[in-house]
């Protein structure tokens, strides 16, 4: 890492195949400006996101993690995102107790057509995290 | 079958952690923590937690002659024949301390009948009186010549307690330790920089591959500064083995012993729970050396590479079910609740077969207690030369693969520590990727290994496991991304 | 006949058991009766090795049950995992019972076949530390001790010569001795989650010291007691209102002590420092895995998320092992203290887990290991 290069937050977004991944796609097609720092991981359903995936992302050097899925009631697998909600509540508590800033973990329901919402969401989080600085869990040697 | 519970000691190292081994009604082994054990308060390290795997039936030794399983009687008879024919001057007995005092005593009796001595793999040298591990907590300054996390994990809590009490901890070596305040890569001639005094404590270890030169410097450092010294030992009964081996014999280092085997001076080797292949840094070379023997008799509880090439294998009870006592690094006596006496009984028959007397476990126990009771205090006379291990020259563009840890506990045991340590510069230079592997190339061949990044000096590759491409403690290798 | 909710005072009809067992030997007799009359196949009890050591055994031998009589405050073991897959009766402190219930939630224990006799517990102590304490505080040779008891906030030791010496627990704990840390802040002293909740609190008058107060918590408790009465192993009488009130009072005193300790131990760590605090705490971990192995809330076996996603070659700031366990235990930790006991690097594992669990469990008004009616929280759908 060179000193003069400005630090860019690394953001990992878990997107479900049916809604929020579509939303990210729509955002791209709509040519909404998106930060280069975003890394999208596609899962079939947000209900597949195990808390360990989120914590692994932090340990690997993510400055923020976004958990996204279909709006409640719209899950392709009936109720996957309700399970996401339960786990997210626990993850949120754990992130807080771990001493990470609450701005580093977000949950958002985004449909395939909400490209602009996705783009705005990512941009907002990026701005918040830029102010916070690098995550304290980031391993040595990772930008 | 009824559930059995054995009170025993962990065979991993010389700390002597107490624990219970539970054998359930289906013969499955598990661990119970013995919280009343003063050495470890019931706590165990990675190895201790894995003891059920170590004691798995598949690892147990079986009685064998010429590679096929036989009953105990036949194996003992075969061993008697070998020892009867052998020339006294060319027989060697080796026991490094992986078994009970009673078996050790019985082995010494056998040696006496043969007119030889039991070798413990460590040259005779003056050793300071062992202190208690609790004393670690009181030291003001502690110098570590071992990596406590990996080698002797049960002293970690003592060191942390010392730190809480205000101790300054210095690690001498290349691998930064979390509990150390400083890590200094010092040569023996620089030990003066440590500025020790009588409130300081040196923690080092003595094992068959210890560098005699460093040991000598460490001892003179302690002597010159008045600092205390705690020698850790890698085998569960290292102290018992040293105490019960015949006093006045010519004690050789393991390397010397192997050299004698290679030169043909030793033609018959009898081992008691000691596998030279596992003990020597270069396993291949050790196997080649053992091939020079006329006869190899392996007595022990665990199956290993030496047992596989032995002429006779005499199986003893696994450590947890043995009857017997053990001396840990603090010289405190611990006792098993088990009742297995197969080892002493076999040694008794062997002894009788070659013209000596038979003996029982209880007689051996009596002699052990007598020896412990009358043990001399003060330092013994030092005899014998101390050879220094030669350091390997590493060419400019190559890396040094260094065997970081004492290898015995994990020797050939399955574990997830099969990776090497590299520093960040090396990773960048070679273009290694996280989760990938690195290809190590040496004279002995190639090996793909996973790696971990650690703040160690450039040009160094550390391994906790004995790798097949390693020629010894230090090997020159080249590396590339794979 | 016995009914759920009954509060009784009882003791063993056998004088030998009555004298040997603590408080009239009721629990020992109930266990022996359950075994004798075939209510259970086996019983989990502690086999005495010395005054400071005992090891859990699973036995169908009544003599071993009778030999196990007496409380062992210096054997801080958790019995939950010994009940797995068996038709057993087992005595236990509240944390043992909580462990069994967590195991049952994960289908490891068939709760209908596990009879749980709860024992009031004010706390347990470390055997080695206790022996040190006896020498330094009580000036008693540890070898001379024949029994111990906790009464009115005092820890009392009885010696061979029949003498008794008590020192207040507060004083002992100020000096760094006394109960294990997790016991100090434990907030379940009467095991209301068991089938029977037994103890000597509330045993007054001439029966004091020779009988056990017992509350019948459920149908299984009824069966246990009736079985023992029918077998002629025990005699019972209803507890007086005064006895009930005294038991309640003792419990409240213990709980308020716990609350004080809780405040003292769980001081808030400021926002900006917590991450570093936790990273430093876990930095000396040697990856032995003992904390998981002993955890009564863990049923995963050797291959589990916390071990399979954890690699020794990762140089993370905190290991995946601990991350996954922190998550897992935020809804399941029962605070039994086993993980701290066995940690070779002396990491205060239980206290760290409690910091996470306390917040989550409070938020959902959920207390792990208390009732089978609520499943592990992470497994449920939102209401």
């Amino acid at each position: 890492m060179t000193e003069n290069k400005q630090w860019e937050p690394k953001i990992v977004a878990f997107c479900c195949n049916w809604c929020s991944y579509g939303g990210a796609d729509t955002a791209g097609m709509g040519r909404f400006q998106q930060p280069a720092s975003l890394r999208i991981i596609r899962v079939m359903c947000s209900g597949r996101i195990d808390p360990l995936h989120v914590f692994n992302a932090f340990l690997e050097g993510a400055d923020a993690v976004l958990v996204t899925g279909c709006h409640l009631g719209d899950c392709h697998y009936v109720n996957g995102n309700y399970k996401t909600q339960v786990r997210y509540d626990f993850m949120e508590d754990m992130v807080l107790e771990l001493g990470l800033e609450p701005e580093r973990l977000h949950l958002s329901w985004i449909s395939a057509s909400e490209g602009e919402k996705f783009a705005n969401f990512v941009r907002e989080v990026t701005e918040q995290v830029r102010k916070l600085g690098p995550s304290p869990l980031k391993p040595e040697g990772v930008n | 079958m009824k559930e059995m519970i054995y009170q025993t000691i962990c065979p991993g190292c010389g700390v002597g952690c107490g624990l219970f081994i539970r054998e359930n009604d289906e013969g499955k082994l598990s661990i119970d923590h013995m919280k009343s054990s003063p050495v470890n308060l019931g706590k165990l390290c990675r190895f201790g937690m894995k003891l059920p795997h170590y004691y798995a039936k598949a690892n147990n030794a079986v009685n064998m002659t010429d590679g096929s399983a036989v009953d105990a009687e036949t194996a003992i008879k075969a061993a008697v024949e070998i020892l009867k024919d052998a020339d006294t001057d060319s027989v060697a007995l080796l026991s490094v301390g992986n078994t009970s005092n009673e078996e050790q005593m019985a082995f010494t009796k056998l040696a006496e009948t043969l007119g030889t001595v039991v070798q413990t793999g460590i040259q005779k040298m003056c050793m300071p009186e062992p202190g208690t591990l609790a004393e670690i907590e009181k030291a003001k300054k502690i110098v570590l010549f071992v990596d406590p996390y990996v080698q002797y994990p049960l002293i970690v809590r003592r060191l942390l307690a010392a730190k809480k009490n205000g101790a300054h901890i210095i690690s001498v070596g290349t691998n930064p330790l979390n509990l150390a305040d400083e890590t200094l890569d010092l040569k023996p001639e620089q030990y003066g920089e440590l500025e020790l005094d009588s409130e300081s404590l040196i923690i080092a270890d003595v094992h068959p591959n210890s560098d005699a030169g460093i040991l000598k410097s460490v001892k003179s450092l302690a002597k010159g500064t008045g600092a205390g010294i705690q020698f850790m030992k890698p085998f569960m009964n290292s102290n018992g083995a040293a105490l019960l081996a015949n006093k006045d014999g010519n004690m050789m280092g393991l390397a010397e012993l192997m050299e004698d085997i290679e030169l043909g001076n030793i033609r018959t080797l009898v081992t008691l729970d000691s596998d030279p292949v596992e003990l020597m840094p270069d396993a291949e070379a050790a196997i080649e050396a053992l091939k020079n023997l006329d006869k190899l008799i392996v007595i022990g509880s665990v199956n290993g590479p030496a047992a596989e090439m032995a002429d006779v294998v005499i199986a003893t009870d696994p450590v947890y079910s043995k009857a017997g006592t053990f001396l840990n690094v603090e010289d405190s006596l611990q006792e098993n609740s088990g009742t297995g006496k197969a080892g002493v009984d076999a040694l008794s028959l062997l002894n009788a077969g070659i013209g000596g007397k038979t003996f029982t476990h209880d007689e051996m126990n009596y002699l052990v207690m007598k020896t412990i009771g009358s043990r001399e205090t003060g330092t013994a006379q030092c005899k014998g030369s101390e050879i220094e291990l030669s350091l390997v020259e590493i060419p400019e563009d190559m890396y040094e693969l260094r065997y970081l840890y004492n290898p015995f506990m994990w020797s050939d045991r399955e574990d997830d520590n099969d990776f090497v340590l590299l520093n960040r510069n090396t990773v960048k230079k070679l273009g290694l990727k996280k989760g990938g592997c690195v290809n190590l190339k040496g004279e002995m061949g190639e090996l793909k290994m996973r790696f971990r990044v650690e703040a160690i000096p450039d040009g160094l590759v550390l391994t906790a496991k004995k790798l097949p491409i390693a020629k010894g403690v230090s090997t020159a290798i080249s590396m590339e991304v794979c | 006949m016995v009914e759920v909710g009954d509060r009784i005072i009882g003791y063993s009809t056998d004088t030998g058991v009555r004298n040997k067992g603590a408080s009239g030997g009721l629990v020992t007799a109930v266990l022996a009766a359950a075994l004798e009359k075939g209510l259970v196949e086996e019983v989990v009890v502690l086999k005495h090795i010395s005054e400071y050591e005992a090891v859990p055994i699973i036995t169908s031998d009544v003599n071993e049950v009778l030999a196990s009589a007496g409380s062992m405050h210096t054997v801080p073991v958790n019995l939950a995992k010994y009940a797995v897959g068996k038709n057993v009766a087992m005595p236990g402190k509240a944390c043992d019972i909580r462990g069994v219930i967590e195991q049952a939630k994960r289908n490891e224990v068939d709760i209908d076949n596990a009879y749980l006799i709860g024992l009031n517990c004010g706390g347990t102590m470390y055997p080695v530390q206790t022996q040190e304490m006896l020498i330094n505080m009580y000036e008693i040779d540890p070898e001379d001790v024949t029994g111990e008891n906790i009464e009115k906030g005092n820890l009392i030791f009885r010696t061979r010569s029949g003498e008794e010496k008590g020192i207040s627990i507060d004083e002992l704990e100020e000096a760094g001795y006394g109960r294990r840390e997790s016991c100090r802040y434990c907030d379940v002293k009467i095991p209301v989650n068991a089938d029977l909740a037994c103890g000597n609190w509330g045993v007054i008058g001439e029966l004091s010291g020779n009988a056990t107060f017992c509350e019948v918590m459920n149908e299984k408790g009824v069966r246990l007691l009736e079985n023992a009465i029918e077998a002629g192993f025990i005699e019972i009488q209803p507890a007086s209102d005064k006895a009930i009130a005294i038991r309640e009072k003792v419990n409240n005193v213990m709980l308020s002590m716990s609350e004080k300790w809780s405040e003292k131990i769980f001081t808030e760590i400021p926002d900006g420092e917590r991450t570093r605090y936790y990273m430093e705490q876990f930095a000396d971990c040697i990856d032995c895995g003992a904390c998981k192995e002993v955890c009564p809330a863990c049923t995963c076996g050797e291959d589990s998320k916390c071990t399979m996603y954890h690699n020794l070659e990762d140089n993370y700031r905190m290991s995946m092992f601990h991350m996954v366990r922190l998550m897992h235990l935020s809804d399941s930790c029962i605070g039994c203290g086993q993980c701290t006991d066995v940690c070779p690097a002396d990491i205060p594992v239980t206290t760290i887990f409690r910091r996470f669990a306390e917040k989550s469990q409070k938020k959902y008004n959920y207390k792990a290991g208390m009732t089978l009616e609520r499943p592990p929280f992470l497994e449920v759908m939102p209401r």
Side-chain angles (χ1 to χ4, degrees):
Chain A
M1 183 168 52
T2 44
E3 297 273 332
N4 52 8
K5 201 167 132 194
Q6 205 204 350
W7 171 75
E8 268 297 314
K10 263 202 188 97
I11 292 173
V12 172
F14 290 96
C15 294
C16 91
N17 184 52
W18 307 100
C19 298
S20 52
Y21 191 79
D25 211 20
T26 313
M29 286 198 291
R31 293 174 186 263
F32 295 108
Q33 187 71 41
Q34 284 204 50
S37 53
L38 183 69
R39 269 92 174 138
I40 292 179
I41 296 174
R42 175 160 67 162
V43 287
M44 287 309 285
C45 174
S46 61
R48 175 65 185 91
I49 303 164
D50 192 294
L52 79 86
H53 297 136
V54 172
F55 294 120
N56 199 233
F58 279 122
L59 293 175
E60 284 285 348
D63 295 298
V65 179
L66 316 179
V67 176
T68 64
C70 307
H71 286 277
L72 290 175
D74 289 348
C75 178
H76 190 78
Y77 305 100
V78 186
N79 58 13
N81 47 8
Y82 283 98
K83 292 170 182 160
T84 315
Q85 177 81 59
V86 172
R87 282 177 213 151
Y88 181 83
D89 290 347
F90 271 93
M91 276 189 267
E92 205 177 26
D93 290 347
M94 191 177 141
V95 160
L96 272 180
E97 182 53 37
L98 259 183
L100 294 180
E101 297 85 348
E103 290 85 354
R104 296 195 189 274
L105 180 66
H106 292 269
L107 173 71
S108 187
W109 308 128
I110 296 167
S111 79
S113 58
E114 293 174 321
E116 191 175 356
K117 181 178 174 185
F118 186 91
N120 288 340
F121 175 53
V122 172
R123 214 167 28 239
E124 265 167 43
V125 174
T126 310
E127 275 322 302
Q128 286 171 357
V129 174
R130 204 193 302 277
K131 277 183 206 135
L132 293 177
S135 156
L137 286 181
K138 197 189 277 289
E140 210 178 315
V142 176
N143 304 346
Chain B
M1 200 167 109
K2 199 176 175 287
E3 180 188 68
M4 289 290 292
I5 294 164
Y6 301 92
Q7 180 178 335
T8 182
I9 291 104
C10 174
C13 74
V15 172
C17 298
L19 75 151
F20 294 107
I21 294 275
R22 178 185 298 266
E23 190 171 7
N24 76 0
D25 42 13
E26 291 157 4
K28 196 169 165 266
L29 300 181
S30 60
I31 276 170
D32 280 63
H33 300 267
M34 191 171 125
K35 293 180 186 173
S36 66
S37 168
V39 177
N40 61 320
L41 310 180
K43 300 160 190 282
L44 295 170
C45 70
R46 286 164 67 69
F47 183 81
M49 291 304 297
K50 286 188 178 221
L51 276 179
H53 294 283
Y54 172 82
Y55 284 133
K57 294 259 172 341
N59 293 338
N60 289 355
V62 276
N63 291 304
M64 289 209 279
T65 55
D66 300 322
S68 44
V70 292
D71 59 9
E73 208 182 319
T74 316
I76 293 167
K77 262 188 198 149
V80 167
E81 290 312 312
I82 290 171
L83 292 179
K84 266 187 187 163
D85 292 347
D87 174 14
T88 308
D89 293 336
S90 68
V91 180
L93 274 65
L94 174 70
S95 174
V96 294
N98 277 322
T99 188
S100 68
N101 286 324
E102 285 69 18
E103 284 185 20
Q104 196 69 42
M105 194 77 210
F107 204 44
T108 301
K109 289 281 152 206
L110 182 71
E112 281 168 10
T113 310
L114 283 167
T116 179
V117 294
V118 172
Q119 299 291 345
T120 61
I122 294 173
Q123 285 173 357
K124 193 160 195 171
M125 56 176 133
C126 23
M127 292 293 287
E129 288 292 298
T132 64
L133 295 175
E135 279 165 25
I136 295 174
E137 298 180 18
K138 295 185 205 123
K140 290 274 174 291
K141 189 174 201 171
I142 299 174
V143 181
L144 295 169
F145 286 87
V146 294
D147 179 342
Y149 292 104
V150 181
Q151 289 175 276
Y152 304 101
L154 263 294
I155 62 169
V156 167
R157 66 185 186 92
R158 304 275 192 195
L159 291 166
L160 291 171
K163 213 171 155 183
K164 231 177 229 167
N165 292 338
H168 183 77
I169 301 181
I170 305 171
S171 160
V172 176
T174 50
N175 198 16
L177 304 176
N178 186 61
L179 57 73
D181 299 294
E182 298 176 74
T183 302
L184 304 171
D185 194 3
L186 298 179
K187 305 228 158 33
E189 56 270 24
Q190 298 169 297
Y191 289 168
E193 294 170 23
L194 293 166
E195 294 175 348
L196 304 185
D197 57 31
S198 60
E199 288 183 311
S200 311
L201 179 68
I202 299 167
I203 302 179
D205 71 343
V206 183
H207 55 77
N209 301 331
S210 295
D211 187 319
I214 289 180
L215 276 183
K216 212 168 152 186
S217 318
V218 167
K219 276 188 289 180
S220 63
L221 174 68
K223 213 170 173 186
T225 58
I229 188 161
Q230 174 69 55
F231 274 115
M232 304 301 295
K233 312 278 174 65
F235 310 115
M236 71 179 302
N237 199 21
S238 293
N239 280 19
L243 179 70
L244 301 171
N246 328 45
K247 282 273 144 42
D248 312 310
N250 172 31
M251 302 304 276
M252 292 183 270
L254 185 64
E256 280 177 277
L257 186 81
M258 295 305 283
E259 214 173 89
D260 266 357
I261 293 173
E262 250 171 307
L263 293 172
N265 295 336
I266 293 172
R267 316 247 17 123
T268 306
L269 178 67
V270 189
T271 64
L272 179 65
D273 278 296
S274 307
D275 191 327
V277 182
E278 288 187 351
L279 296 170
M280 292 298 289
D282 186 343
E284 286 301 318
I287 290 175
E288 285 308 310
L290 291 182
K291 283 182 185 161
N292 289 331
L293 289 168
D294 289 339
K295 296 288 177 189
L296 172 61
I297 300 173
V298 169
I299 308 170
S301 60
V302 190
N303 201 5
E308 272 161 33
M309 55 195 295
D311 298 282
V312 177
V313 179
I314 298 173
T316 62
D317 307 278
V319 171
Y320 70 89
S321 64
K322 261 188 221 303
T325 58
F326 305 87
L327 278 180
N328 80 345
V329 286
E330 308 168 296
D331 261 0
S332 72
L333 190 74
Q334 290 157 298
E335 192 167 2
N336 259 8
S337 73
T339 52
K341 291 168 185 164
V344 173
D345 291 348
L347 286 163
S348 164
L349 289 174
L350 258 182
N351 196 39
I354 57 170
K357 281 198 279 186
T358 60
F359 40 75
T360 64
H361 174 86
D362 290 350
E363 284 164 18
M364 289 301 106
N365 181 259
Y366 172 78
L367 291 178
V368 168
M369 292 307 162
K370 215 171 111 184
T371 314
I372 291 173
S374 66
R375 116 188 86 173
E376 303 159 31
T377 49
T379 44
Q381 283 291 316
C382 301
K383 280 183 207 154
S385 60
E386 298 194 349
I387 31 166
E388 296 192 20
L389 292 183
S390 56
L391 286 173
V392 176
E393 282 285 324
I394 307 296
E396 186 80 14
D397 54 341
M398 291 181 92
Y399 294 90
E400 180 189 357
L401 175 67
R402 199 186 292 171
Y403 208 170
L404 178 59
Y405 310 123
N406 104 48
F408 314 120
M409 191 154 83
W410 288 111
S411 182
D412 262 2
R413 308 277 164 240
E414 208 173 294
D415 186 48
D416 44 2
N417 63 358
D418 53 342
F419 53 85
V420 291
L421 303 185
L422 311 168
N423 77 1
R424 201 170 311 287
N425 287 342
T426 309
V427 169
K428 276 196 179 147
K429 203 164 138 197
L430 297 174
L432 302 178
K433 294 273 187 300
K434 192 198 139 64
C437 70
V438 57
N439 199 16
L440 314 175
K441 261 189 212 162
E443 267 178 57
M444 312 269 292
E446 288 183 39
L447 186 68
K448 284 184 170 53
M449 287 291 282
R450 299 184 298 158
F451 61 91
R452 177 187 163 113
V453 184
E454 199 68 74
I456 57 174
D458 284 331
L460 201 57
V461 185
L462 302 179
T463 166
K465 269 201 159 175
K466 189 153 73 175
L467 302 179
I469 61 161
K471 294 190 70 178
V473 176
S474 210
T475 312
I477 55 160
S478 60
M479 294 196 293
E480 59 189 26
V481 64
C482 60
Chain C
M1 278 276 92
V2 185
E3 277 173 39
V4 176
D6 277 3
R7 279 163 240 199
I8 57 111
I9 307 271
Y11 43 82
S12 163
T13 51
D14 183 298
T15 44
V17 176
R18 193 153 68 222
N19 294 334
K20 188 162 183 296
S23 313
L26 178 86
V27 173
T28 309
V30 169
L31 286 169
L35 196 57
E36 196 91 310
K37 296 289 150 197
L39 196 61
V40 293
E41 285 164 14
E42 287 166 307
V43 170
V44 181
V45 286
L46 288 176
K47 183 182 173 173
H48 292 220
I49 287 173
S50 73
E51 190 57 42
Y52 307 95
E53 185 62 90
V55 63
I57 51 167
I58 307 160
T59 181
S60 50
D61 182 348
V62 175
N63 291 325
E64 280 190 311
V65 177
L66 297 178
S68 73
S71 60
M72 297 285 286
H73 282 111
T74 57
V75 183
V77 64
N78 194 295
L79 299 175
K81 285 195 166 174
Y82 300 95
V84 167
K86 295 204 153 67
N87 170 218
V88 286
M90 117 179 185
K93 314 173 288 297
C95 54
D96 294 309
I97 310 295
R98 290 175 78 176
V100 175
I101 289 176
E102 284 303 306
Q103 294 279 324
K105 281 182 186 173
R106 293 164 177 84
N107 295 325
E108 289 288 309
V109 167
D110 176 8
I111 200 76
D112 295 329
N113 276 319
Y115 288 85
L116 309 172
I117 305 176
L119 310 170
N120 292 351
C121 176
T124 51
M125 298 170 294
Y126 291 119
V128 175
Q129 203 188 47
T130 302
Q131 294 177 55
E132 247 171 65
M133 173 180 79
L134 280 165
I135 296 168
N136 295 338
M137 304 281 291
Y138 285 76
E139 292 164 345
I140 294 177
D141 179 358
E143 298 297 319
D144 279 345
V145 170
T146 56
E148 88 280 343
N149 200 6
I150 296 177
E151 224 175 82
K152 297 200 177 91
N154 287 325
L155 178 62
I156 303 159
F157 284 92
R158 217 175 24 252
T159 59
R160 254 182 247 286
S161 57
E163 276 171 71
E164 284 191 359
K165 186 168 183 183
I167 298 181
S168 94
I169 293 179
D170 282 337
E171 191 187 329
L172 296 172
E173 285 170 5
E174 280 306 318
Y177 296 112
R179 298 169 298 163
R180 295 151 76 233
E181 191 177 68
S182 48
C183 298
R184 294 180 190 182
Y185 59 76
C186 168
D187 58 357
V188 187
K189 303 291 183 189
I190 296 180
V192 290
N193 48 353
D195 304 327
L196 294 174
C198 304
N200 62 359
W201 303 349
V203 182
I204 45 171
E206 57 187 29
L207 280 175
S208 177
N210 292 310
T212 301
F213 187 112
C214 173
E215 184 175 353
V216 183
M217 303 310 301
N218 58 29
E219 278 302 324
K220 271 193 292 163
V222 173
R223 250 175 284 160
L224 273 172
L225 270 193
E226 285 186 345
N227 178 65
I229 296 167
E230 274 164 33
F233 278 41
I234 59 164
E235 272 169 29
I236 61 166
Q237 60 192 65
S240 65
D241 288 345
K242 195 178 167 201
I244 294 168
I246 286 177
R247 174 176 179 252
E248 207 40 53
K249 200 180 145 203
V250 175
N251 188 31
N252 287 336
V253 169
M254 296 303 285
L255 288 179
S256 70
M257 241 167 105
S258 290
E259 213 161 299
K260 267 188 223 144
W261 269 111
S262 183
E263 278 165 27
K264 204 164 161 183
I265 291 168
F266 296 103
T267 46
E268 196 64 39
I269 306 163
D271 273 353
E273 292 165 28
R274 278 204 302 280
T275 317
R276 208 180 56 209
Y277 171 79
Y278 289 123
M279 287 190 311
E280 274 171 15
Q281 291 296 316
F282 286 124
D284 290 306
C285 174
I286 60 159
D287 296 292
C288 67
C291 48
K292 168 185 179 283
E293 204 65 32
V294 294
C295 181
C298 169
T299 58
C300 309
E302 244 172 85
D303 296 344
S304 51
K305 273 183 196 170
C306 57
T307 54
M308 301 306 273
Y309 288 86
H310 168 57
N311 282 324
L312 289 181
E313 76 251 40
D314 289 331
N315 45 353
Y316 293 149
R317 298 266 179 191
M318 239 171 102
S319 78
M320 269 308 270
F321 175 79
H322 292 300
M323 280 284 200
V324 175
R325 299 242 331 129
L326 280 173
M327 187 71 206
H328 170 56
L329 287 174
S330 63
D331 78 331
S332 317
C333 179
I334 59 168
C336 66
Q338 293 301 315
C339 43
T340 298
D341 291 3
V342 298
C343 179
D346 278 349
I347 302 168
V349 199
T350 312
T351 310
I352 293 174
F353 282 138
R354 285 316 297 172
R355 280 186 183 271
F356 287 82
E358 202 70 46
K359 289 201 170 114
S360 295
Q361 295 185 13
K362 217 166 240 165
K363 182 167 152 191
Y364 296 98
N365 191 23
Y366 172 82
K367 206 170 187 172
M370 294 309 285
T371 159
L372 259 186
E373 264 140 49
R374 295 178 74 182
F377 229 89
L378 275 166
E379 308 299 321
V380 297
M381 297 291 291
R383 278 152 299 164

